[in-house]
Amino acid sequence: MAISGYFAGATMIAALTFAPAATAKVVDQSEAGFTVAHTAQVAATPADVWKMLRMPQNWWSKDHSWSGDAANFWLDSQAGGCFCEKLPDTGAGVGSVQHARVLFSKPGQLLRLSGAFGPLQGEALNGTLTIQIKATPTGSALRFDYVVGGYMRFKVADIAPAVDKVIGEQLIGLANALGGALPPSREEKAAAAAATAKPAAETPPAEDEPGLDAAVADLVEDAPKAEPEGGR
């Protein structure tokens, strides 16, 4: 499948459905590869998120399949398991596609997959999709991080935004399957605005930043602590 076919429509879909309920960005990029990150919150327990996560036929977009039918997806969520797709028999036998394989599986918390999705599969690339889940007072916080590196015949500046929107569409699909993404709270909007406004010199050192496996700590604001009487 050509890049234009697999990634077609992603920009429009993401623009219409993504911004109000989640955050997304190309985290970094170079000639060696790129990283994209997407976050959202849903009114579903981590257990319910995990159950849905294991059924990609219910949330991964058919527009980003090889068969054109999401019913052909399946996922074996154990380490070494396959996120795969059946290619129906068109006269020469049933085919199949491995989109990714499972590297790490911790029910209700983290699923990590290794795979170059769509047209990236035809390049000499490694792609790692890390899906994190964390319980919140209103349900669960979700984060998708997709890291791609290696040699490819596409220009990173062209392909990274397209992949970013495709990965975002899958998170929106998962959120919608769970009842829809929650809009960010007033506090989260204020925190995001403040973070954007900070000059580069005030950015905390890299060693102080939580790792990707820190259970999505950056997605959930801690509840404000009650101030002692007298303001002390």
Side-chain angles (χ1 to χ4, degrees):
M1 182 181 297
I3 181 174
S4 58
Y6 193 92
F7 292 141
T11 301
M12 181 179 296
I13 293 170
L16 291 175
T17 64
F18 199 76
T23 58
K25 64 178 178 179
V26 177
V27 176
D28 58 47
Q29 66 181 52
S30 70
E31 292 183 0
F34 59 91
T35 301
V36 303
H38 291 255
T39 64
Q41 297 195 45
V42 294
T45 66
D48 286 338
V49 173
W50 185 261
K51 183 177 179 181
M52 183 61 68
L53 194 59
R54 296 176 62 227
M55 298 185 289
Q57 66 272 25
N58 291 341
W59 58 272
W60 194 276
S61 173
K62 67 180 179 62
D63 294 329
H64 304 300
S65 69
W66 297 92
S67 66
D69 186 350
N72 291 318
F73 291 126
W74 82 87
L75 173 67
D76 175 357
S77 61
Q78 294 300 311
C82 187
F83 169 28
C84 290
E85 178 183 356
K86 180 179 70 175
L87 300 179
D89 188 354
T90 57
V94 175
S96 60
V97 179
Q98 175 180 280
H99 289 271
R101 59 186 175 84
V102 176
L103 298 177
F104 192 109
S105 177
K106 192 170 186 180
Q109 296 184 45
L110 187 144
L111 182 68
R112 178 170 293 130
L113 302 162
S114 175
F117 296 115
L120 300 182
Q121 188 183 80
E123 307 302 306
L125 292 171
N126 289 318
T128 303
L129 176 63
T130 299
I131 301 173
Q132 299 178 76
I133 309 165
K134 183 179 180 180
T136 70
T138 56
S140 300
L142 311 176
R143 176 164 176 152
F144 280 23
D145 285 276
Y146 190 45
V147 184
V148 178
Y151 175 77
M152 61 180 165
R153 292 163 291 182
F154 304 123
K155 292 182 179 179
V156 171
D158 294 336
I159 196 68
V163 173
D164 176 56
K165 290 178 173 60
V166 168
I167 295 300
E169 186 184 342
Q170 309 322 309
L171 176 54
I172 284 295
L174 177 59
N176 287 342
L178 292 163
L182 300 175
S185 67
R186 182 180 301 175
E187 291 77 11
E188 289 166 340
K189 288 180 180 178
T196 303
K198 285 182 180 179
E202 295 183 18
T203 303
E207 59 269 24
D208 293 335
E209 292 291 330
L212 293 180
D213 291 336
V216 214
D218 59 323
L219 301 186
V220 185
E221 295 291 330
D222 292 331
K225 296 180 180 179
E227 204 171 302
E229 292 185 9
R232 296 186 179 183

